[in-house]
Amino acid sequence: ITKSHQDDNTNLNACLDHLLRILSRKDKQGFFQYPVTDQFAPGYSTIITRPMDFSTMKKKISQDDYYNIIEFRADFELMCENAMKYNRPDTIYWQAAKKLLATGSKLMNKDKILGFRRSLE
Ligand SMILES: COc1ccc(C(=O)NC2CCC2)cc1-c1cc(C(C)=O)n2cccnc12
């Protein structure tokens, strides 16, 4: 019997929720939990055209917005790259983003993703 589209998404969403929890736990200071506001970061919305944060990624999972793990990883990388673009290398935000990006790359490297996909079949 063929699996319904909904089944596929349920497995994928369970996978993505798991990845989000692991990555989110690394952000102990909460710098990536919510959208950055211009109030805290002057000029942020003009410098960063595609903002991303963990709460937005969580909402996208619940709305079935991610077709696969690659799309989820792209949003994660966007979130880290935004922080390394807006903030200078000597800031706590730039350094936190770099560390987070390294964790994500290990967690979602090509082989791991292949393994995930096989487990979804
Ligand atoms: C949701 O975003 C945040 C939430 C809380 C904090 C925060 O607790 N900042 C205090 C630590 C020194 C002030 C910072 C941020 C924050 C993230 C960021 C990012 C991710 O660029 N940021 C940049 C400039 C100024 N503040 C921030």
Side-chain angles (χ1 to χ4, degrees):
I1 48 163
T2 54
K3 283 164 68 174
S4 73
H5 170 72
Q6 180 52 34
D7 290 352
D8 292 345
N9 261 17
T10 312
N11 294 337
L12 176 66
N13 290 354
C15 245
L16 298 182
D17 270 328
H18 173 70
L19 291 170
L20 188 75
R21 253 194 319 277
I22 297 174
L23 293 167
S24 193
R25 256 203 316 261
K26 296 288 175 192
D27 171 33
K28 294 198 181 347
Q29 304 100 324
F31 298 155
F32 301 93
Q33 299 303 321
Y34 305 102
V36 182
T37 58
D38 282 14
Q39 182 199 5
F40 284 105
Y44 193 85
S45 56
T46 51
I47 297 165
I48 298 300
T49 51
R50 291 176 59 221
M52 189 46 64
D53 68 283
F54 282 131
S55 71
T56 305
M57 291 170 71
K58 190 157 184 60
K59 193 160 70 205
K60 286 180 75 169
I61 294 174
S62 62
Q63 289 166 348
D64 288 347
D65 277 355
Y66 292 118
Y67 178 68
N68 56 31
I69 297 180
I70 305 291
E71 285 187 355
F72 173 85
R73 187 178 65 181
D75 266 357
F76 171 76
E77 289 170 348
L78 170 65
M79 178 181 76
C80 296
E81 281 145 15
N82 285 344
M84 297 175 78
K85 180 181 175 190
Y86 174 81
N87 302 285
R88 296 281 156 266
D90 61 346
T91 59
I92 49 175
Y93 307 117
W94 190 95
Q95 288 154 18
K98 184 140 174 58
K99 273 177 72 177
L100 196 56
L101 190 59
T103 304
S105 307
K106 277 202 284 287
L107 196 66
M108 297 182 279
N109 66 38
K110 199 165 47 58
D111 310 353
K112 289 266 177 67
I113 287 183
L114 273 177
F116 270 128
R117 290 169 74 121
R118 284 216 185 88
S119 69
L120 293 179
E121 275 152 22

